Amino acid sequence: MPEMPRLPYPVPSSAAVTARMRLNRKVDSRPETRLRSYLHRAGLRFRKNRSIDFGEMSAVADVVFPREHVAVFMDGCFWHSCPDHGTVPRVNRDYWLPKLARTRERDRQLPSGPHATGWLIIRVWEHDPLQAVASSVFEAVESRRRVTYNQNVSSEMPWPIKRTT
């Protein structure tokens, strides 16, 4: 994917807006930390904010299960233009409209579901119910573990197993 040119940074409309925007976290947002906490309490171990190479492009996933090849992307409603909750800023529209459009385009290039490189990509919105998201991630990881285990066992173990006691 070709590198997109950076947009010139706009003049902030007020000191209050500047302060508010500085509070927006690039990583470890509250919805992300809640999801990771929920998954950890369910017994899952993972990596966070890891770059994944998808062949034609790479992306940083919020939660990654490297062995199972499962990547979870939790999209924020503002930054990813949620159809239900996304808003368009009233000030500095010449900056924000192209910036949000670039994010949507990047999201379209990385679809959800199974990927040709073997990764299972799970995309969720920050407003999706935590239990439902965690449940779908847990099921995906466990499903991948069963498949990986069965492939490894069937390729490494001679069947039937004979005891030599």
Side-chain angles (χ1 to χ4, degrees):
M1 179 175 126
E3 191 69 29
M4 294 182 184
R6 295 187 64 87
L7 297 170
Y9 195 76
V11 176
S13 58
S14 72
V17 169
T18 301
R20 192 167 48 249
M21 292 306 286
R22 283 192 178 144
L23 292 175
N24 289 325
R25 300 182 62 106
K26 183 177 175 93
V27 295
D28 297 335
S29 68
R30 189 170 293 140
E32 288 175 26
T33 56
R34 286 180 180 159
L35 173 63
R36 290 196 312 257
S37 176
Y38 201 91
L39 294 173
H40 195 270
R41 279 180 286 162
L44 295 178
R45 300 302 178 256
F46 47 83
R47 300 289 179 255
K48 66 178 194 167
N49 306 319
R50 181 171 280 188
S51 181
I52 308 288
D53 182 17
F54 293 107
E56 66 280 359
M57 70 178 295
S58 64
V60 177
D62 299 308
V63 179
V64 179
F65 298 89
R67 268 190 232 141
E68 296 83 4
H69 279 78
V70 175
V72 181
F73 293 85
M74 179 170 276
D75 296 338
C77 291
F78 172 76
W79 299 107
H80 296 267
S81 303
C82 170
D84 297 331
H85 305 106
T87 59
V88 178
R90 293 185 305 263
V91 179
N92 291 323
R93 290 172 73 86
D94 292 339
Y95 172 78
W96 286 107
L97 291 177
K99 182 173 181 66
L100 296 174
R102 287 185 342 172
T103 302
R104 285 192 307 274
E105 179 57 31
R106 195 172 53 243
D107 289 346
R108 272 192 284 281
Q109 292 177 359
L110 186 66
S112 60
H115 193 270
T117 58
W119 283 89
L120 176 62
I121 302 166
I122 300 174
R123 295 198 78 102
V124 297
W125 289 107
E126 67 180 354
H127 64 261
D128 288 341
L130 178 63
Q131 289 81 4
V133 170
S135 177
S136 64
V137 170
F138 188 84
E139 289 173 18
V141 170
E142 289 300 312
S143 172
R144 288 288 182 110
R145 284 179 178 168
R146 283 192 300 275
V147 169
T148 302
Y149 175 79
N150 289 338
Q151 287 173 348
N152 289 342
V153 168
S154 63
S155 65
E156 295 173 5
M157 299 294 291
W159 297 102
I161 297 175
K162 297 180 181 176
R163 294 189 182 258
T164 57
T165 54

